[in-house]
Amino acid sequence: MTSNGSTSSWVPSGGGGLEVAAALFHGLSDPSRLSILQHLTLGEHRVRDLTDHLGLAQSTVSAHLACLRDCGLVVSRPEGRASMFSLTSAPELLGVLDAAERLLATSGYAVALCPNYGVGTEGNPAPDQLRTHAGQEAGA
């Protein structure tokens, strides 16, 4: 149900449907990648700029930028011996991040306590490995 009470058939347009949407959210699922995207909302930056600002190793920043480029979220252009990185669709990305902030606030940040994906959990459990909070039944 949507906020106005109607049912929603949210399926991304184009091929792949929900699998492609899940891939997008997986691309956004790393805190370092979100930090890079957040910093790129200020404008284009070199890897060195991002490394200095975020306090991450150059190889880490480069690997995350490669992932974000493969996901179609950033592009690069050569400038001398460096590459300048920027967002491909800043307004849409900001819309998604803003919606995520509102959803987190509405849910009371309950996802932080999720036994499958919450803060401090690792990996991506298979459906038959999903856990519930103590005292709750699956699907309840």
Side-chain angles (χ1 to χ4, degrees):
M1 291 257 176
T2 62
S3 60
N4 67 5
S6 65
T7 59
S8 173
S9 61
W10 179 78
V11 177
S13 60
L18 294 177
E19 291 82 11
V20 174
L24 170 66
F25 287 115
H26 191 71
L28 296 172
S29 69
D30 185 273
S32 294
R33 286 194 294 274
L34 286 174
S35 293
I36 290 168
L37 291 170
Q38 183 180 36
H39 197 64
L40 289 175
T41 64
L42 303 173
E44 64 181 4
H45 289 83
R46 299 174 301 162
V47 171
R48 166 118 190 184
D49 300 331
L50 295 167
T51 299
D52 291 345
H53 177 76
L54 301 172
L56 298 171
Q58 182 272 329
S59 59
T60 300
V61 171
S62 292
H64 285 305
L65 285 167
C67 174
L68 293 168
R69 184 177 47 235
D70 291 344
C71 289
L73 298 173
V74 301
V75 293
S76 64
R77 65 172 181 82
E79 184 172 284
R81 293 179 50 170
S83 292
M84 299 297 289
F85 286 85
S86 61
L87 300 174
T88 57
S89 303
E92 291 81 3
L93 178 64
L94 289 170
V96 168
L97 297 177
D98 183 54
E101 283 184 33
R102 290 191 317 270
L103 181 58
L104 287 168
T106 300
S107 69
Y109 293 81
V111 70
L113 301 175
C114 175
N116 299 295
Y117 305 108
V119 176
T121 61
E122 293 185 23
N124 193 12
D128 63 339
Q129 299 295 314
L130 292 174
R131 300 171 301 203
T132 61
H133 288 279
Q136 292 183 351
E137 302 213 9

